[in-house]
Amino acid sequence: MTKTVFVNGTFDILHPGHMQLFKVARSLGDRVIVATDSDEKIRTDKPNTGKPINNLPFRLTMLESCKYIDTVLWFNSMQELSDLVQLYRPDILLLGDDWRNGVVIGAEFAKEVRFFPRIPWYSSTKVIEKIKTCLLYTSPSPRDATLSRMPSSA
Protein backbone atom coordinates (compact mmCIF):
# COMPACT_ATOMS: atom_id res chain seq x y z
CA MET A 1 0.00 0.00 0.00
CA THR A 2 1.33 3.41 -1.01
CA LYS A 3 2.00 5.93 1.76
CA THR A 4 1.37 9.51 0.59
CA VAL A 5 3.00 12.62 2.04
CA PHE A 6 1.56 16.05 1.17
CA VAL A 7 3.62 19.24 1.47
CA ASN A 8 2.58 22.77 0.59
CA GLY A 9 4.23 26.17 0.53
CA THR A 10 5.30 29.10 -1.60
CA PHE A 11 8.69 27.65 -2.66
CA ASP A 12 9.55 30.94 -4.35
CA ILE A 13 13.32 30.57 -4.22
CA LEU A 14 14.33 26.96 -3.65
CA HIS A 15 17.19 26.49 -1.20
CA PRO A 16 18.73 23.59 0.77
CA GLY A 17 16.09 23.90 3.51
CA HIS A 18 13.39 23.11 0.96
CA MET A 19 15.42 20.20 -0.37
CA GLN A 20 15.73 18.80 3.16
CA LEU A 21 11.96 19.11 3.58
CA PHE A 22 11.36 17.18 0.35
CA LYS A 23 13.97 14.59 1.29
CA VAL A 24 12.31 14.03 4.68
CA ALA A 25 8.91 13.81 2.95
CA ARG A 26 10.30 11.10 0.67
CA SER A 27 11.72 9.20 3.66
CA LEU A 28 8.25 9.21 5.26
CA GLY A 29 6.35 7.90 2.25
CA ASP A 30 6.33 6.34 -1.19
CA ARG A 31 4.55 9.22 -2.89
CA VAL A 32 5.31 12.91 -2.31
CA ILE A 33 2.82 15.53 -3.45
CA VAL A 34 3.84 19.19 -3.29
CA ALA A 35 1.36 22.03 -3.73
CA THR A 36 2.43 25.64 -4.20
CA ASP A 37 0.56 28.92 -3.98
CA SER A 38 -0.44 30.79 -7.14
CA ASP A 39 1.20 34.13 -7.87
CA GLU A 40 -2.08 35.92 -7.10
CA LYS A 41 -2.38 34.22 -3.70
CA ILE A 42 1.21 35.11 -2.80
CA ARG A 43 0.69 38.76 -3.77
CA THR A 44 -2.48 38.81 -1.64
CA ASP A 45 -0.87 37.07 1.36
CA LYS A 46 2.40 39.03 1.19
CA PRO A 47 1.53 42.49 -0.15
CA ASN A 48 4.21 45.08 -0.84
CA THR A 49 7.03 42.51 -0.71
CA GLY A 50 7.66 42.10 -4.43
CA LYS A 51 6.89 38.41 -4.05
CA PRO A 52 6.78 36.12 -5.74
CA ILE A 53 10.22 36.62 -7.19
CA ASN A 54 9.73 33.63 -9.49
CA ASN A 55 6.39 33.17 -11.25
CA LEU A 56 4.24 30.07 -10.99
CA PRO A 57 5.46 28.35 -14.20
CA PHE A 58 9.07 28.83 -13.06
CA ARG A 59 8.31 27.44 -9.57
CA LEU A 60 6.37 24.48 -11.00
CA THR A 61 9.29 23.64 -13.30
CA MET A 62 11.76 23.76 -10.42
CA LEU A 63 9.58 21.60 -8.17
CA GLU A 64 8.89 19.10 -10.96
CA SER A 65 12.66 18.73 -11.39
CA CYS A 66 13.20 17.61 -7.79
CA LYS A 67 13.85 13.87 -7.55
CA TYR A 68 12.03 13.59 -4.21
CA ILE A 69 8.70 14.90 -5.57
CA ASP A 70 6.22 12.79 -7.52
CA THR A 71 3.37 15.24 -8.13
CA VAL A 72 3.31 19.05 -8.22
CA LEU A 73 0.07 21.00 -7.89
CA TRP A 74 -0.90 24.62 -7.31
CA PHE A 75 -3.75 26.39 -5.56
CA ASN A 76 -5.25 29.87 -5.55
CA SER A 77 -6.98 29.94 -2.17
CA MET A 78 -7.11 28.22 1.21
CA GLN A 79 -10.30 26.49 0.06
CA GLU A 80 -8.52 25.11 -3.01
CA LEU A 81 -5.68 23.88 -0.79
CA SER A 82 -8.18 22.19 1.52
CA ASP A 83 -9.88 20.62 -1.51
CA LEU A 84 -6.54 19.23 -2.75
CA VAL A 85 -5.72 17.71 0.64
CA GLN A 86 -9.22 16.24 0.76
CA LEU A 87 -8.84 14.82 -2.76
CA TYR A 88 -5.51 13.10 -2.03
CA ARG A 89 -6.21 12.23 1.64
CA PRO A 90 -2.52 11.89 2.53
CA ASP A 91 -1.16 9.66 5.23
CA ILE A 92 1.03 12.56 6.36
CA LEU A 93 0.59 16.29 5.95
CA LEU A 94 4.11 17.70 6.43
CA LEU A 95 4.54 21.40 7.19
CA GLY A 96 7.23 23.75 8.44
CA ASP A 97 7.18 23.98 12.21
CA ASP A 98 6.21 27.66 12.03
CA TRP A 99 2.68 26.29 11.46
CA ARG A 100 2.75 24.25 14.69
CA ASN A 101 0.55 26.76 16.55
CA GLY A 102 -1.41 27.89 13.52
CA VAL A 103 -4.39 26.70 11.55
CA VAL A 104 -3.33 23.73 9.45
CA ILE A 105 -5.44 23.77 6.30
CA GLY A 106 -6.67 20.28 5.41
CA ALA A 107 -5.53 18.65 8.65
CA GLU A 108 -8.89 16.92 9.00
CA PHE A 109 -8.25 15.03 5.75
CA ALA A 110 -4.80 13.69 6.66
CA LYS A 111 -4.19 10.68 8.86
CA GLU A 112 -1.36 12.53 10.58
CA VAL A 113 0.12 16.03 10.66
CA ARG A 114 3.87 16.38 11.18
CA PHE A 115 6.08 19.42 11.43
CA PHE A 116 9.51 19.86 9.90
CA PRO A 117 11.90 22.02 11.92
CA ARG A 118 13.02 25.00 9.89
CA ILE A 119 16.72 25.28 9.31
CA PRO A 120 17.39 28.84 10.53
CA TRP A 121 20.23 29.72 8.16
CA TYR A 122 18.14 28.83 5.09
CA SER A 123 15.26 31.02 3.99
CA SER A 124 14.09 32.61 0.77
CA THR A 125 14.02 35.98 2.53
CA LYS A 126 17.71 35.59 3.49
CA VAL A 127 18.59 34.68 -0.11
CA ILE A 128 16.79 37.81 -1.35
CA GLU A 129 18.59 39.98 1.21
CA LYS A 130 21.95 38.49 0.23
CA ILE A 131 21.28 39.21 -3.45
CA LYS A 132 20.30 42.80 -2.61
CA THR A 133 23.51 43.22 -0.60
CA CYS A 134 25.62 41.78 -3.41
CA LEU A 135 23.96 44.08 -5.95
CA LEU A 136 24.55 47.06 -3.68
CA TYR A 137 28.26 46.31 -3.40
CA THR A 138 28.82 45.22 -7.00
CA SER A 139 26.84 47.79 -8.94
CA PRO A 140 29.21 49.42 -11.41
CA SER A 141 30.22 53.03 -11.07
CA PRO A 142 29.93 55.31 -14.12
CA ARG A 143 33.75 55.07 -14.45
CA ASP A 144 33.54 51.25 -14.64
CA ALA A 145 30.94 51.51 -17.40
CA THR A 146 33.24 53.82 -19.40
CA LEU A 147 36.21 51.50 -18.96
CA SER A 148 34.23 48.46 -20.07
CA ARG A 149 33.43 50.15 -23.38
CA MET A 150 37.07 50.97 -24.10
CA PRO A 151 38.84 48.64 -26.52
CA SER A 152 41.36 46.42 -24.82
CA SER A 153 44.97 46.81 -25.84
CA ALA A 154 46.56 43.71 -27.30
Side-chain angles (χ1 to χ4, degrees):
M1 184 182 221
T2 303
K3 191 170 189 179
T4 300
V5 180
F6 193 102
V7 178
N8 69 275
T10 303
F11 308 117
D12 191 10
I13 298 177
L14 291 180
H15 54 71
H18 292 131
M19 294 302 117
Q20 283 297 93
L21 171 66
F22 303 144
K23 189 175 183 179
V24 166
R26 169 60 69 203
S27 75
L28 296 172
D30 310 300
R31 180 179 182 206
V32 176
I33 299 171
V34 174
T36 188
D37 304 63
S38 69
D39 294 344
E40 181 181 328
K41 184 174 179 313
I42 294 169
R43 283 191 289 272
T44 300
D45 291 349
K46 301 175 182 183
N48 305 315
T49 63
K51 293 181 179 179
I53 302 297
N54 293 306
N55 66 22
L56 182 62
F58 181 100
R59 290 181 287 119
L60 293 174
T61 299
M62 296 298 286
L63 292 167
E64 289 166 349
S65 299
C66 180
K67 70 180 183 179
Y68 304 113
I69 301 171
D70 298 299
T71 304
V72 177
L73 309 166
W74 62 276
F75 57 94
N76 200 43
S77 68
M78 294 300 195
Q79 183 59 56
E80 286 182 15
L81 173 59
S82 180
D83 292 346
L84 288 173
V85 179
Q86 182 177 15
L87 176 66
Y88 288 96
R89 296 205 175 261
D91 295 281
I92 299 171
L93 184 56
L94 182 63
L95 303 164
D97 64 2
D98 52 330
W99 288 99
R100 187 176 299 276
N101 297 317
V103 175
V104 176
I105 303 298
E108 65 273 24
F109 305 117
K111 291 179 184 167
E112 179 182 0
V113 176
R114 290 197 190 181
F115 297 95
F116 177 78
R118 288 203 178 247
I119 304 169
W121 47 90
Y122 294 129
S123 80
S124 297
T125 301
K126 286 184 180 183
V127 171
I128 292 166
E129 289 306 314
K130 185 173 184 178
I131 291 169
K132 285 179 181 177
T133 300
C134 287
L135 289 174
L136 179 66
Y137 289 109
T138 60
S139 58
S141 69
R143 182 176 182 279
D144 293 334
T146 303
L147 291 176
S148 68
R149 288 191 298 253
M150 296 179 75
S152 60
S153 56

